[in-house]
Amino acid sequence: MAAGVRKRGRAGPAARAAGFCGQWLRRAWQERRLLLLEPRYTLLVAACLCLAEVGITFWVIHRVAYTEIDWKAYMAEVEGVINGTYDYTQLQGDTGPLVYPAGFVYIFMGLYYATGQGTDIRMAQYIFAVLYLATLLLVFLIYHQTCKVPPFVFFFMCCASYRVHSIFVLRLFNDPVAMVLLFLSINLLLAQRWGWGCCCFSLAVSVKMNVLLFAPGLLFLLLTQFGLRGALPKLGICAVLQVVLGLPFLLENPVGYLSRSFDLGRQFLFRWTVNWRFLPEALFLHRAFHLALLAIHLTMLLLFVLCRWHRTGESILSLLKDPSKRKIVSTLFTSNFIGICFSRSLHYQFYVWYFHTLPYLLWATPARRLTHLLRLLVLGLIELSWNTYPSTSCSSAALHVCHAVILLQLWLGPQPFPKSIQHSKKAH
């Protein structure tokens, strides 16, 4: 009798877990009409979509032709380092000089060895397929914690996007590598692992500089969470990691490394632009146009800091003295999106810089301003604009209109940090 009791005791936790899981699934089935509308079902829908994505990504790799663009150039650049060249001005590939920070070199050096010196393209595609699935998992975890987006939108965020699948497994760009590290960083910030979050953020920047578009939002969050004094060590983590990663190249030619890997004045080719095709090429290349975009970018950031990201009636100076939690995802995604809106040029691979953030930006505000149908229309027009090759005046103009609609909604939506908000464990 006692043995029977002990046996039931051992089976108890497993039985309770199975019962809870079964009860949850039965409830989901009973509420199946709400399954695609209620954010609490994000994980269930995400699991189904990730399983579907395994098959879709495998099909894309085997059925759609790979297109060589930058992969061979990446391999040639890191091969130069392997051969002992640490002067950044001497490192280049078929498409030009090496223009990415040191983290890129180390990660793609690993890919160089994993793919037989860059020759095994199929292996590289499989690695990037895993990277794509990891990105989806990290993004779904963010959306699960924010509880803002209805799950049906996730279908359009993953399975239905041809361009994003192409960027990951048919083009093998370095942009997805930077973004998966960025989403890992955001998950760590949401878990209140600020030091590790800053470390991953800096690592993402070391792969590609576009991650710096999130930096104004991160700086604001650090100041409001820790105050000026408390934020300095976290900023120090970001800076020290950059120095450590770049040390071999800094010792060889510091000016060459900094000027090449963090060149903010790079000139982009007009033929590849997605967002400014309707402009005359002379204006697109003019320095005054670039400075005007930078000025608008900084002005918009300042306006959001002053009017949207802090509490009503709260002094900006008081943020440095009285740190408090803020909605991490809203601040970071908005900071990046403002940078996207006023970028000097967007190339096709840059789509992943903000693609996975679009559902949050569109659905984070109440539906009274935009219905589900109108938001899906905006998503569809953005996808169509990025899939128009070569870009046209109409596709570029449509992209700007969609960006303007999202930006206006973010500005006119309810204030994300009302004065009456209470401190809570959630920081999204």
Side-chain angles (χ1 to χ4, degrees):
M1 186 69 179
V5 172
R6 285 195 299 271
K7 186 175 181 181
R8 285 195 300 270
R10 287 195 299 271
R16 285 195 297 271
F20 176 78
C21 185
Q23 183 181 11
W24 187 76
L25 289 174
R26 282 194 298 273
R27 183 179 176 185
W29 174 251
Q30 292 169 358
E31 298 181 356
R32 56 189 178 277
R33 292 185 178 180
L34 300 176
L35 191 62
L36 299 179
L37 296 174
E38 291 294 331
R40 66 176 180 270
Y41 292 120
T42 292
L43 288 183
L44 178 61
V45 175
C48 296
L49 288 174
C50 284
L51 287 175
E53 275 290 359
V54 173
I56 292 172
T57 307
F58 183 83
W59 183 89
V60 169
I61 291 174
H62 287 269
R63 295 295 182 181
V64 183
Y66 162 78
T67 303
E68 170 57 43
I69 297 180
D70 282 340
W71 175 257
K72 288 183 179 179
Y74 294 163
M75 295 298 101
E77 289 161 0
V78 300
E79 191 173 50
V81 179
I82 293 171
N83 292 334
T85 302
Y86 293 98
D87 184 347
Y88 246 59
T89 61
Q90 303 301 316
L91 295 169
Q92 60 180 7
D94 297 339
T95 58
L98 173 58
V99 293
Y100 309 117
F104 162 85
V105 174
Y106 301 127
I107 291 174
F108 277 81
M109 193 182 295
L111 292 172
Y112 176 88
Y113 288 116
T115 59
Q117 300 181 351
T119 59
D120 191 346
I121 300 298
R122 184 54 53 84
M123 176 58 72
Q125 288 182 291
Y126 287 147
I127 293 172
F128 272 77
V130 173
L131 188 71
Y132 174 66
L133 292 173
T135 301
L136 282 183
L137 287 173
L138 291 169
V139 170
F140 282 137
L141 285 174
I142 293 171
Y143 280 107
H144 169 65
Q145 295 179 76
T146 56
C147 291
K148 289 286 187 181
V149 180
F152 78 87
V153 181
F154 299 142
F155 172 80
F156 301 94
M157 191 182 73
C158 51
C159 301
S161 176
Y162 170 80
R163 177 61 64 188
V164 171
H165 285 88
S166 173
I167 292 169
F168 273 85
V169 298
L170 299 180
R171 304 295 190 269
L172 308 180
F173 288 116
N174 65 332
D175 304 77
V177 180
M179 293 309 297
V180 73
L181 291 169
L182 183 277
F183 289 125
L184 175 59
S185 170
I186 295 176
N187 274 281
L188 288 167
L189 296 178
L190 288 172
Q192 299 299 308
R193 304 292 184 182
W194 290 89
W196 284 109
C198 289
C199 182
C200 284
F201 181 87
S202 185
L203 188 58
V205 172
S206 76
V207 176
K208 194 160 187 179
M209 257 200 325
N210 71 282
V211 178
L212 287 174
L213 294 178
F214 291 88
L218 178 60
L219 177 60
F220 180 85
L221 290 169
L222 289 173
L223 290 174
T224 55
Q225 181 72 15
F226 301 102
L228 182 58
R229 235 177 236 186
L232 289 177
K234 306 298 185 294
L235 296 173
I237 291 174
C238 297
V240 169
L241 184 60
Q242 293 298 322
V243 173
V244 170
L245 292 173
L247 192 59
F249 310 103
L250 289 168
L251 293 174
E252 182 70 22
N253 183 353
V255 175
Y257 174 71
L258 294 174
S259 62
R260 283 287 177 86
S261 59
F262 295 100
D263 182 10
L264 297 175
R266 280 181 61 197
Q267 186 65 273
F268 295 102
L269 297 177
F270 181 68
R271 67 183 181 128
W272 294 116
T273 188
V274 176
N275 58 331
W276 296 114
R277 179 65 62 182
F278 54 84
L279 294 179
E281 184 172 1
L283 177 59
F284 172 82
L285 297 173
H286 202 283
R287 187 65 64 183
F289 174 63
H290 304 162
L291 293 175
L293 287 175
L294 177 61
I296 299 172
H297 179 190
L298 296 177
T299 301
M300 288 302 301
L301 283 173
L302 183 60
L303 288 173
F304 268 82
V305 168
L306 293 173
C307 304
R308 305 300 302 158
W309 290 350
H310 79 286
R311 298 175 184 173
T312 303
E314 184 179 42
S315 165
I316 290 299
L317 292 177
S318 70
L319 295 175
L320 307 181
K321 302 173 184 177
D322 182 24
S324 58
K325 292 183 179 180
R326 289 299 188 270
K327 293 187 177 180
I328 294 173
V329 177
S330 297
T331 303
L332 291 175
F333 283 8
T334 302
S335 174
N336 177 65
F337 182 71
I338 292 172
I340 294 289
C341 289
F342 303 105
S343 292
R344 286 188 288 122
S345 185
L346 295 175
H347 294 179
Y348 286 96
Q349 66 269 32
F350 297 178
Y351 193 20
V352 295
W353 291 6
Y354 77 129
F355 171 78
H356 294 100
T357 73
L358 288 172
Y360 185 89
L361 295 171
L362 277 165
W363 270 267
T365 53
R368 60 187 173 84
R369 296 193 178 277
L370 283 177
T371 65
H372 288 318
L373 184 60
L374 288 176
R375 295 176 196 215
L376 288 176
L377 177 61
V378 172
L379 276 184
L381 286 174
I382 291 176
E383 179 74 16
L384 181 63
S385 298
W386 283 96
N387 279 283
T388 302
Y389 177 80
S391 62
T392 64
S393 296
C394 289
S395 67
S396 292
L399 185 63
H400 279 288
V401 169
C402 292
H403 286 175
V405 169
I406 297 174
L407 194 61
L408 189 62
Q409 180 186 239
L410 291 171
W411 180 259
L412 295 178
Q415 191 174 23
F417 317 123
K419 189 174 183 179
S420 61
I421 193 170
Q422 298 295 323
H423 291 287
S424 64
K425 291 183 179 180
K426 286 190 175 182
H428 52 71

